[in-house]
Amino acid sequence: MIRRLAIFLGSRNGSDPRFADEAYDVGVRLAERRIELVYGGGGSGLMGRISQGVLDTGGRVYGVIPRFMVEREWGRLHEPGVQMHVVETMHERKAMMAERAEAFLTLPGGLGTLEELFEVWTWQTLALHRKPVGLLNTGGFWDPLVGTLGRLADSGFMDRSTVDDLVVAPDLDGALDGLSARLP
C-alpha cells in the first residue's frame, strides 16, 4: 500500500476543464485513502487543484518548492495541513520529492512535468531507486507519449521492458493498483 505518492502535474489548468476537475478529484481520493501528496508546492493550476482537493478532505500535503518560486508567490507556504520545504534549486526539489515518495504518478502538464517524470524514471532504470513510476492517462492524454516510447524501444534506443514497466492507467484506481503491485 502506498502511503506517500509524488505527483507531477501542470502549474497551469490546461485548455480542458476536465484536467482541473480530475486533479481536484485525485486529491480528494488520495486523502480518503490516507495517501500523503508529495508535490512541487505550487498553488496555481493543476498543482493548486490537487493540493486543494487533499486539504479539503483533511489529508496531508508535503510540498517542496525552490526559493525563486516562493519569491514569485507561486507556493502554498502558510496553509494548515501543508508541510512545505523551501529549497534552493530545482535539483534539490526533485531529490527531496524522490526521497519522500514511495511511488511517482504523472498527470497532465507541460515541459516541467515531463522533465520530472523522465528524471525519476531514468533514475529507476539506472537502479538509483526501485520506486514505481506511472502515468494517469485520462482520456488518452498520454497516448502520443506512450506511442513515442514504444517507437524508441522498437528502434533499439531503450529496452521494451523499460517501457512495459511504466504504469499507464486510464483512472486513479488502476494507477494505484499498478504502482502498488510494483512496490519493492
Side-chain angles (χ1 to χ4, degrees):
M1 175 72 184
I2 297 169
R3 295 169 294 147
R4 291 182 311 276
L5 179 64
I7 298 199
F8 306 129
L9 69 172
S11 61
R12 298 180 183 187
N13 282 326
S15 59
D16 187 333
R18 288 183 303 169
F19 300 141
D21 292 342
E22 177 186 47
Y24 183 86
D25 184 57
V26 167
V28 167
R29 294 173 64 205
L30 291 177
E32 289 172 347
R33 289 171 170 81
R34 299 190 190 284
I35 299 172
E36 178 184 276
L37 170 65
V38 178
Y39 87 124
S44 62
L46 301 185
M47 294 172 90
R49 295 294 295 154
I50 196 168
S51 59
Q52 194 62 55
V54 171
L55 294 171
D56 287 350
T57 314
R60 295 186 49 170
V61 174
Y62 183 89
V64 185
I65 190 165
R67 186 170 311 285
F68 79 89
M69 289 183 176
V70 172
E71 291 166 358
R72 294 177 187 176
E73 299 181 359
W74 289 352
R76 302 189 85 124
L77 288 180
H78 305 293
E79 292 188 44
V82 177
Q83 183 180 358
M84 190 68 69
H85 293 271
V86 179
V87 296
E88 294 305 316
T89 68
M90 294 292 282
H91 296 294
E92 289 177 79
R93 175 197 216 182
K94 291 179 287 185
M96 186 175 279
M97 289 175 67
E99 182 179 314
R100 179 77 178 194
E102 298 170 332
F104 306 92
L105 184 62
T106 305
L107 275 64
L111 192 56
T113 302
L114 288 171
E115 190 269 337
E116 291 169 325
L117 163 67
F118 283 119
E119 185 154 356
V120 298
W121 193 20
T122 299
W123 291 348
Q124 180 199 54
T125 64
L126 296 172
L128 298 176
H129 71 75
R130 294 179 48 220
K131 301 172 184 183
V133 179
L135 298 170
L136 185 55
N137 194 27
T138 304
F141 180 84
W142 293 115
D143 285 351
L145 176 62
V146 172
T148 298
L149 296 170
R151 184 172 183 198
L152 292 171
D154 292 344
S155 299
F157 290 106
M158 63 191 300
D159 294 334
R160 173 55 65 180
S161 62
T162 301
V163 177
D164 293 343
D165 198 42
L166 181 69
V167 173
V168 181
D171 56 54
L172 183 62
D173 290 336
L176 291 175
D177 288 347
L179 293 169
S180 294
R182 289 169 170 83
L183 285 172

